[in-house]
Amino acid sequence: MVSRRNNGGAADDGSTRARLMDVAIELFRKHSVAATSLQMISDELGFTKSAIYHHFRTRDDLLGAIIEPLIERVAELTEHAASQRTPRSRADRMLTGYAALAVANRDLFPVFSGDPAVVDFLRARPEWAAIVRRQIDLLAGADPGPRGQVKAAIVMAGIAGAVGLPFDGLDDDALRAELIAGGRRMLGLRAGRTLS
Amino acid sequence: MVSRRNNGGAADDGSTRARLMDVAIELFRKHSVAATSLQMISDELGFTKSAIYHHFRTRDDLLGAIIEPLIERVAELTEHAASQRTPRSRADRMLTGYAALAVANRDLFPVFSGDPAVVDFLRARPEWAAIVRRQIDLLAGADPGPRGQVKAAIVMAGIAGAVGLPFDGLDDDALRAELIAGGRRMLGLRAGRTLS
C-alpha cells in the first residue's frame, strides 16, 4: 500500500492530510475526479473550507499528492525492471511489480486508470506521463511493435479494472497470483524461465 | 457501430437527437458523466436548454439512450454465445463478439467501462446489470470459479481500455484480431478448435 500517512508536517497535520486524501479517493471513486469539489470533501469530513485549503489549495494539488507516491513506486519498478538482462525478464519484472502495486491499491487503480481528469493531469506533467509510457514499453518489450503494445494495454487496463471487483474466495495474495499468471499468458511469458 | 442515427421520430428530430448524443459522449469522455450537465451539452451545440429538454429530460435519460443499444447488442451476443455447445465455444463466441463491439465503439467503451455514473446507472437497472454479469459468466465459462472470473475481468476491462488508445499501424480490423488473440491466450482458448 502506498502510504498516505506520513506526508504531512506535525503528527496532527499529517493525520488530517491523510484523512483528506482518503475521503477524496472515496469521493473520486463515487463521483469521478471532475465531479468532486474541495467543498464536497470538506463537507464529508465536517471541515471548514479553510481547513482543507491549509493542506491543498486546489483539487489538482490534492490529486497530485495522491498520485505522486504511486508514480514514484512505478518509477522505481520501471528502474528495477529495466535493469534485468532480457526483454522477457524485463517484461516479467514489470508485470509482477505492477500487479503487486495494483492489488496493494485496490481503491485507487480502477478509478485512476480511466478517470479523464487523471489522464489530463498526467498529460500536463510530461515527466510523469513518460514514466507511465516506459512501463508500457517494458511490458510490451518481449514482443515489440503494435502487437506487443496491444497486449501491454490489455494487461495494464485489465489488471487496473479487475482489482476493483470483489472475487469470492480470493484474498489479495491469491488475486495477485492470478493477475500475474493471466498477464504472463497474455504476454507470452513463462513463469520460472523469465525470472533472472 | 451501434447506431445513434435512427432513434428519433421525424428525420430532423432524429438527427438532432443523434447530434446531442454524439456531443454528450464527447463531453462524457472529456469530463466524466457526473461532471457533464445537460447545460454543458446544449452550450456546446449552441442550443437552448429547452431544445435539449425536448429530447431528454434528465442526464440519465440521455445516458440511457446511449447505453441501451449497446446493452441490446450485448444481450444478443450473450444469447448467441449461450447457444453454443461447449463452455469453451461459448466463451470464444462471447470474446469475439465483445471485441468486435468494443472496436466498433472505441469512443464509448473506455469511458463507459469505468465511469462511476455508468456503474451506478447499471446497478439501478437490475435487468441490464444481469446482462453484463451473464457476459462475464460466459467469458469465464471455460474455467469456472474465481480464477476464471479474474481472467474474464482482465479480458473485459483490458479490451475496453485498450480500444481507447491509438496504436500506430493497426487499423480496426487488425486491432480486433489482436484483442481476440490476446483474449484467447488469457482465457486458455485456442483458435479454430473452439469455434463450433
Side-chain angles (χ1 to χ4, degrees):
Chain A
M1 169 73 109
V2 170
S3 174
R4 291 185 284 276
R5 303 293 163 198
N6 51 9
N7 292 318
D12 269 2
D13 248 34
S15 100
T16 304
R17 194 180 153 92
R19 279 179 65 201
L20 281 168
M21 290 163 79
D22 284 339
V23 166
I25 292 167
E26 202 184 304
L27 294 179
F28 290 165
R29 284 194 76 170
K30 205 161 154 187
H31 305 293
S32 80
V33 174
T36 303
S37 61
L38 287 183
Q39 182 72 64
M40 286 162 73
I41 297 165
S42 10
D43 286 353
E44 183 77 19
L45 283 163
F47 286 4
T48 61
K49 234 179 153 183
S50 71
I52 197 171
Y53 281 128
H54 173 62
H55 294 278
F56 304 103
R57 269 174 312 164
T58 65
R59 191 183 52 213
D60 266 7
D61 282 348
L62 174 50
L63 189 54
I66 293 169
I67 296 179
E68 190 169 17
L70 266 186
I71 291 283
E72 279 169 7
R73 284 289 295 129
V74 172
E76 287 165 24
L77 285 172
T78 55
E79 195 95 358
H80 182 61
S83 73
Q84 304 300 307
R85 275 182 305 167
T86 66
R88 280 169 176 275
S89 57
R90 291 196 279 275
D92 198 75
R93 205 47 74 96
M94 194 65 245
L95 168 66
T96 52
Y98 181 78
L101 194 61
V103 170
N105 293 276
R106 293 180 74 169
D107 55 344
L108 271 179
F109 264 63
V111 53
F112 275 23
S113 68
D115 194 291
V118 176
V119 175
D120 286 348
F121 187 92
L122 290 176
R123 226 175 248 152
R125 279 153 195 81
E127 70 286 7
W128 289 13
I131 292 167
V132 175
R133 260 200 316 281
R134 192 167 183 223
Q135 181 180 26
I136 299 177
D137 288 340
L138 284 163
L139 270 181
D143 182 1
R147 175 174 298 187
Q149 297 279 329
V150 173
K151 290 196 273 184
I154 298 176
V155 167
M156 283 189 63
I159 288 177
V163 298
L165 301 173
F167 295 100
D168 283 348
L170 277 192
D171 63 15
D172 281 2
D173 284 346
L175 174 59
R176 189 179 57 243
E178 291 302 332
L179 296 172
I180 292 169
R184 282 179 174 152
R185 267 191 303 273
M186 176 76 75
L187 298 169
L189 305 169
R190 290 207 206 143
R193 285 184 53 190
T194 53
L195 292 169
S196 64
Chain B
M1 168 72 109
V2 170
S3 174
R4 291 184 284 275
R5 303 294 164 199
N6 52 9
N7 291 319
D12 270 3
D13 248 33
S15 101
T16 303
R17 193 180 154 92
R19 279 178 65 203
L20 281 168
M21 289 163 79
D22 284 340
V23 166
I25 292 167
E26 203 183 304
L27 295 180
F28 290 164
R29 284 194 76 168
K30 207 161 152 186
H31 305 292
S32 81
V33 174
T36 303
S37 61
L38 287 182
Q39 182 73 62
M40 287 162 72
I41 297 165
S42 11
D43 287 352
E44 183 77 19
L45 283 163
F47 285 4
T48 60
K49 234 178 152 182
S50 70
I52 197 170
Y53 281 128
H54 173 62
H55 294 278
F56 305 103
R57 269 174 311 164
T58 65
R59 192 183 51 211
D60 266 6
D61 282 348
L62 174 51
L63 188 54
I66 293 168
I67 296 179
E68 190 170 17
L70 267 186
I71 290 282
E72 278 169 9
R73 285 288 295 126
V74 172
E76 286 165 26
L77 285 172
T78 55
E79 196 93 359
H80 182 62
S83 72
Q84 304 300 307
R85 274 182 306 166
T86 66
R88 279 169 176 275
S89 56
R90 291 195 279 276
D92 199 75
R93 204 48 73 94
M94 194 65 246
L95 169 66
T96 53
Y98 181 79
L101 193 63
V103 170
N105 294 276
R106 294 179 73 168
D107 55 345
L108 271 179
F109 264 63
V111 52
F112 275 22
S113 68
D115 194 290
V118 176
V119 174
D120 285 348
F121 187 92
L122 290 175
R123 224 173 250 153
R125 281 154 195 81
E127 71 286 7
W128 290 13
I131 292 167
V132 176
R133 259 200 316 279
R134 191 167 185 222
Q135 181 180 27
I136 299 177
D137 288 342
L138 284 162
L139 270 181
D143 182 0
R147 175 174 296 188
Q149 297 278 330
V150 173
K151 291 195 272 184
I154 298 176
V155 167
M156 283 189 63
I159 288 177
V163 297
L165 301 173
F167 295 101
D168 284 350
L170 277 192
D171 63 15
D172 281 1
D173 284 346
L175 174 59
R176 189 179 57 243
E178 291 302 333
L179 295 172
I180 291 170
R184 281 178 174 153
R185 267 191 303 272
M186 177 76 75
L187 298 170
L189 305 169
R190 290 207 205 145
R193 285 183 53 191
T194 52
L195 292 169
S196 64

